Amino acid sequence: MKNLTVSRKVYADITSRINSALSHSAASASEAIRLVDTYIAGGDAVSDDATAMLAFNMIKPELDRAMVRSRRARERARARKAAKEAGTPDQPVATAETRMDVAGPEVRLSRRDRRALQRAACPRKKNRPLRTIPPASASI
């Protein structure tokens, strides 16, 4: 497939995962890949093969995220190309997802900060062991 709505890397990953998960049934694997191809092309993915439908329904949310991610990347690439042709300097192009007025900035904490918040939420007494070890029995 030349014009995918997802990246080639995502498509290759999904097809290889389907093939490995359904390696016991080649017919179900090919049907699940057909469902993925149909869904990516914008069609209705329906099949009588229950195993293929199960595999497809498990991957469908990931496909949806990948399709949105690819659409946004293509929009950014189009905007960069248009800006380059217009002769403007390379600047980040504001899209609906990157504008600050649409949604507030996402605050990302470092791992150290997340751990500190977790420790503060559930304080532990000093000198208290993390777990208790039962004494060894003398009947050996």
Side-chain angles (χ1 to χ4, degrees):
M1 297 184 87
K2 186 174 180 177
N3 294 326
L4 296 173
T5 56
V6 295
S7 68
R8 281 178 256 151
K9 183 177 177 182
V10 168
Y11 183 77
D13 178 52
I14 287 174
T15 55
S16 69
R17 286 171 37 201
I18 287 174
N19 284 327
S20 67
L22 300 177
S23 61
H24 64 281
S25 174
S28 293
S30 64
E31 181 65 14
I33 291 173
R34 186 196 64 80
L35 290 170
V36 168
D37 292 341
T38 303
Y39 187 73
I40 286 175
D44 190 23
V46 179
S47 175
D48 293 333
D49 189 354
T51 307
M53 283 302 294
L54 177 68
F56 172 73
N57 285 328
M58 291 179 74
I59 288 182
K60 185 178 175 186
E62 189 174 342
L63 275 172
D64 291 335
R65 285 191 304 269
M67 289 167 71
V68 168
R69 196 170 47 238
S70 292
R71 188 186 75 239
R72 288 178 185 166
R74 286 185 177 106
E75 287 175 3
R76 287 191 305 269
R78 249 184 264 120
R80 279 193 310 269
K81 185 176 179 181
K84 186 177 179 182
E85 289 174 355
T88 59
D90 291 336
Q91 293 179 355
V93 178
T95 61
E97 291 81 22
T98 60
R99 287 196 320 244
M100 299 303 264
D101 60 343
V102 173
E106 183 179 339
V107 178
R108 298 203 50 141
L109 298 175
S110 67
R111 182 177 182 195
R112 180 178 288 170
D113 293 338
R114 288 192 310 267
R115 291 250 174 129
L117 286 174
Q118 186 180 17
R119 282 192 301 271
C122 184
R124 201 179 85 227
K125 292 182 180 180
K126 292 182 180 182
N127 299 333
R128 184 175 169 193
L130 294 174
R131 65 179 187 178
T132 57
I133 301 173
S137 63
S139 64
I140 297 180

